DNA sequence: ATTCTTTTGACACTGAGTCTCACTTGAGGC
DNA sequence: GCCTCAAGTGAGACTCAGTGTCAAAAGAAT
């Protein structure tokens, strides 16, 4: 790996490091791309050469290729829902220390700054189509099959639920929470048969 | 309802009508807010007084209050997953002709212009927290309860699956598709126990 | 007709994102 | 070591979304 590559990697890391620090210190909206570039001692143009948008500096996505690799190593016959659990856990678990540390910072920011939580919720990693593609390959059904899409949607939903827990400050580990959510799904959809009670007035609208 | 109110409503409708028309004709990114304002014969400022962002002109949200009303009228004891199905169907079903027509246009745009599909997927109506709030009221559990959030996440996931079908051009009616997705959920998560097959090379990466 | 309030348009400003062009700097052949 | 080429960088101009202010216009109320 030549000097050029190393320098590039260093610049990218510097930009991300300073960006996250600034976001933490002075908030997301209050931090301009100029601020970040200045802190990392590069020009504004350079920032956009490394990250297509300001939001992207929060994201990472070293995870996707790892997920593919883990998926390819699963024993044939594993039930789909179990496979998802294993893939998620192993893929995140196999991140190196640096990536893992970055992940921690990112989740902490998500808990602290609502704007970042929104970015992660909307943009992070996997969408329905992406998961549907993996499922499609895993069980040999078309990727636009309704059941394949619905399964993928449920997985994405579990992710959102985990992120909501993080956002509510009810957990410190997004990964553990996601794993717990997926575990619950193994026994079906929770509360599906729960009977609804007599309707009561929306507490948000009733007098305090 | 005074002249003032009527005029306001007309302006809002005009802005939305022209915006959707322009988006359809020349694309979302290529249409500036100035274009929309000019077409509707108002100033740029006025546009932003009616819609906080350019994206918002695609959205509607006459639906939320209706959902609340439908929810309040459900018989006590209805299973939660059934309740969701009924609420969604009745709430959308009770839209007036104009709102329904707008919904059609919006879904058509979503199928045609990927950018609009993304906006709908990310911003439209209900997020996990919002649904969790309704569920919380319906069954009397805290809104940040893991199972409540997971259930809400699953519902959102079903929505995404339906939107993915629309996006793939496999259906013309988003509503019917969503209803079908929720029906499937009544019998549990589809494909959950489906065994995965021997891994095969990613077709996207294999030679054509 | 008069006041009062809401809506509106004109304008200025910030910041994200795009583009171009000239420059520097690492890589590799000689 | 030198030269050449390509990759990476910086400066700056430009577009457009979104915010804020302020004064003029138009509907409502008396």
């Amino acid at each position: 790996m030549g000097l050029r590559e190393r320098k590039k990697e260093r610049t990218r890391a510097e930009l991300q490091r300073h960006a996250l620090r600034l976001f933490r210190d002075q908030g997301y909206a209050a931090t301009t791309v100029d601020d970040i570039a200045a802190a990392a001692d590069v020009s504004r143009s350079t920032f956009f050469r490394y990250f297509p948008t300001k939001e992207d500096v929060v994201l990472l996505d070293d995870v996707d290729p790892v997920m593919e690799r883990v998926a390819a190593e699963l024993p044939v016959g594993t039930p789909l829902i179990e496979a998802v659990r294993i893939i998620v856990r192993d893929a995140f678990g196999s991140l190196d220390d640096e990536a893992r540390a970055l992940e921690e910072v990112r989740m902490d920011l998500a808990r602290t700054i609502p704007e970042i939580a929104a970015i992660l919720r909307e943009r992070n990693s996997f969408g329905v189509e992406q998961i549907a593609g993996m499922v499609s390959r895993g069980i040999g059904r078309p990727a636009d099959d309704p059941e394949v899409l619905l399964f993928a949607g449920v997985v994405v939903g579990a992710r959102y639920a985990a992120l909501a827990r993080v956002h509510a400050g009810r957990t410190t580990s997004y990964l553990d929470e996601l794993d717990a959510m997926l575990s619950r799904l193994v026994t079906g959809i929770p509360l599906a048969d729960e009977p609804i009670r007599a309707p009561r007035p929306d507490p948000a609208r009733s007098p305090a």
Side-chain angles (χ1 to χ4, degrees), chain A:
Chain A
M1 192 194 234
L3 173 56
R4 220 171 193 132
E5 308 283 316
R6 271 178 287 136
K7 237 180 146 172
K8 236 162 76 170
E9 215 29 68
R10 213 186 320 144
T11 306
R12 160 170 261 113
E14 275 292 277
L15 277 169
Q16 197 162 43
R17 194 171 65 81
H18 280 108
L20 294 181
R21 180 178 58 76
L22 288 167
F23 292 161
R24 178 204 301 282
D25 291 350
Q26 58 187 49
Y28 179 79
T31 304
T32 72
V33 173
D34 279 301
D35 293 341
I36 302 170
D41 207 41
V42 296
S43 77
R44 220 179 79 92
S45 322
T46 301
F47 175 91
F48 281 110
R49 216 165 278 118
Y50 282 94
F51 303 97
T53 76
K54 180 182 170 187
E55 294 190 353
D56 281 293
V57 80
V58 183
L59 309 176
L60 176 71
D61 279 16
D62 291 342
V63 186
D64 289 13
V66 185
M67 285 207 306
E68 294 279 352
R69 191 170 49 69
V70 174
E73 286 165 4
L74 283 175
V76 172
T78 310
L80 188 54
I81 184 77
E82 278 294 339
V84 170
R85 238 189 105 191
I86 294 168
I87 289 171
V88 169
R89 180 156 50 183
D90 286 5
F92 279 92
S94 74
L95 291 178
D96 58 19
D97 286 353
E98 194 186 351
R100 182 165 276 279
L102 206 58
E103 191 68 27
E104 299 270 343
V105 173
R106 197 177 299 114
M107 284 306 146
D108 192 51
L109 283 173
R111 219 177 51 250
T112 313
I113 304 176
E115 223 152 353
I116 304 241
I119 295 171
L120 289 179
R121 205 176 340 230
E122 289 173 7
R123 304 261 328 261
N124 197 10
S125 337
F126 31 98
V128 173
E129 274 95 350
Q130 195 174 346
I131 297 185
M134 289 185 66
V135 170
S136 165
R137 266 171 275 141
I139 66 171
R141 286 228 222 167
D144 58 359
D145 178 288
E147 293 197 335
V148 169
L149 284 171
L150 180 53
F151 180 87
V154 168
V155 172
V156 171
R159 230 178 69 78
Y160 285 179
L163 278 169
R165 288 277 291 175
V166 173
H167 188 214
R170 304 291 303 220
T171 179
T172 45
S173 168
Y174 159 65
L175 246 54
D176 290 350
E177 196 67 37
L178 177 55
D179 193 57
M181 289 294 178
L182 292 174
S183 301
R184 287 189 189 95
L185 285 183
V186 172
T187 56
I189 305 169
L191 305 178
D193 299 322
E194 191 84 2
I196 66 172
R197 304 183 316 173
R200 290 191 317 164
D202 184 343
R205 266 169 238 176
S206 59

